[in-house]
Amino acid sequence: MEHDLSPTTLSELRRPRPYPAVSVLTPTHRREPDNAQDPVRLRNVVAAAKKQLESDPAVTRERRSDVVHQLDQALAEVDLAHAEDGLVIFAAPGEHQVWSLARAVPERVVLSDTFLTRNLVSAQAAERPFWVLSVSADRVTLWSGGTDRVTEDRSGGFPMTRSPENFDAERQERIGDMPSTFRDEGTRHFLREADAALGMLLREQPRPLYVTGEQAALSLLDEIGSATKEAVHIPHGGLAHGTPEAVWQAVRPMVAAEARKGTDAVARELESARSRKAFAAGVDEVWHSAREGRLRLLAVEENYRVTVSDVLGDHLVPAASADLDAREDLVDEIVEQCLETGAEVRFVPDGTLGDAHGIAGVLRY
């Protein structure tokens, strides 16, 4: 199952497909007893997708057979033992993908000529992705981080390794002479290359950056680095050869601290916007501002959800999930719209926004 949504991947997912491009969404659960319902619910929603394919006169028999086969393959790849909060299956002629999301999604099936990506985009924003670079004298490893995990990422030429020609890293580590390794020119050149490779990656996929390593390695990066200079440094050696869980445990306290600082900064900015009359609050007002491209900053409480209908044309009204014109993922639509117009999107803990009722924004004008 896929987790990491890069701009390149998102662009590929958004390109038009031969009809039908099928998007299947279903909520999942991480823990018992709620996760007992997930296998049945998943099978039922996939069966509903097949039924729609069967009844759609625009789908030829050959194409229907192809897409049904892709759905069956996707279903076989789902690992509910490691489920998160939502699952998305994409299937089209000749292809399929399975995405696990750390954000709930509404249960739905959509047939179109593009995949439904707004829930992926919103989940990615809510997850607050970050990079971790773990450095040692002979290896630099890149990790992609999210809400509750890190995974190794092999983008941009990582991991980078170096043959220890003039040093014995294990011996130096044993005798406590590891800092001397970071004074030789070969190591300086190696870490300079890693910094340059990271800089290229950050230009394509900008995220907050944490760097782990021996204090001597971090000091050297301060001296020679460019991309790593503004990173949060965590003095913890051994993680370039470590496990994802070890890296997560090392960075977790700092990630939580940075998240708290970010939430405080958002609260201050919203308060300032109120005094300048540049503040939008509530789903109706924020939705209109997002559609007009007026939002510079969007703040959403992490578990805020609302089901609405815009049957009146330009005004949202509460709706039930069963209503035919209900829009269950309007918050995700707003998030995607804001990101497309260059707005900053921040998810904050529940209760942070007070009388804004779960969603608020700072206006550009």
Side-chain angles (χ1 to χ4, degrees), residues 178-201:
M178 200 61 181
S180 66
T181 302
F182 295 98
R183 291 196 291 266
D184 75 80
E185 190 55 38
T187 302
R188 293 171 67 90
H189 179 71
F190 175 61
L191 293 189
R192 194 178 289 116
E193 286 186 332
D195 180 86
L198 180 68
M200 293 179 63
L201 181 72

Side-chain angles (χ1 to χ4, degrees), residues 38-49:
D38 291 349
V40 174
R41 192 166 188 172
L42 176 59
R43 287 195 299 271
N44 287 344
V45 73
V46 170

Side-chain angles (χ1 to χ4, degrees), residues 85-98:
D85 303 305
L87 187 73
V88 177
I89 293 175
F90 295 137
E95 64 173 318
H96 67 272
Q97 293 189 37
V98 179

Side-chain angles (χ1 to χ4, degrees), residues 32-242:
E32 296 178 343
D34 294 332
N35 61 6
Q37 65 183 283
D38 291 349
V40 174
R41 192 166 188 172
L42 176 59
R43 287 195 299 271
N44 287 344
V45 73
V46 170
K50 293 178 180 179
K51 187 174 181 179
Q52 285 195 34
L53 287 168
E54 185 70 33
S55 61
D56 191 334
V59 182
T60 65
R61 179 181 299 181
E62 180 182 4
R63 190 159 285 179
R64 180 169 59 246
S65 177
D66 186 345
V67 176
V68 166
H69 176 65
Q70 299 296 332
L71 285 170
D72 287 338
Q73 286 190 303
L75 190 59
E77 293 171 12
V78 172
D79 180 9
L80 289 176
H82 297 91
E84 297 176 281
D85 303 305
L87 187 73
V88 177
I89 293 175
F90 295 137
E95 64 173 318
H96 67 272
Q97 293 189 37
V98 179
W99 288 85
S100 178
L101 307 182
R103 183 168 166 81
V105 299
E107 184 172 292
R108 64 189 307 187
V109 174
V110 177
L111 273 62
S112 183
D113 57 358
T114 58
F115 292 137
L116 183 68
T117 59
R118 68 173 65 110
N119 304 92
L120 270 71
V121 172
S122 184
Q124 180 79 348
E127 196 168 45
R128 295 186 291 271
F130 56 88
W131 296 116
V132 181
L133 193 75
S134 296
V135 300
S136 68
D138 63 335
R139 182 179 175 91
V140 179
T141 305
L142 180 70
W143 311 89
S144 176
T147 303
D148 57 2
R149 65 176 183 274
V150 300
T151 56
E152 186 175 354
D153 192 291
R154 294 181 174 266
S155 304
F158 291 100
M160 299 179 67
T161 58
R162 170 188 174 216
S163 299
E165 298 168 354
N166 300 314
F167 65 93
D168 182 342
E170 289 187 3
R171 175 181 178 278
Q172 288 171 332
E173 198 169 34
R174 285 197 304 272
I175 66 177
D177 193 33
M178 200 61 181
S180 66
T181 302
F182 295 98
R183 291 196 291 266
D184 75 80
E185 190 55 38
T187 302
R188 293 171 67 90
H189 179 71
F190 175 61
L191 293 189
R192 194 178 289 116
E193 286 186 332
D195 180 86
L198 180 68
M200 293 179 63
L201 181 72
L202 287 174
R203 283 191 288 275
E204 296 177 359
Q205 299 185 56
R207 298 183 187 178
L209 173 66
Y210 301 85
V211 180
T212 73
E214 299 285 343
Q215 185 58 59
L218 301 181
S219 298
L220 178 56
L221 283 173
D222 264 340
E223 177 187 343
I224 67 172
S226 174
T228 54
K229 195 172 290 293
E230 301 302 319
V232 176
H233 287 189
I234 301 174
H236 192 305
L239 297 179
H241 297 270

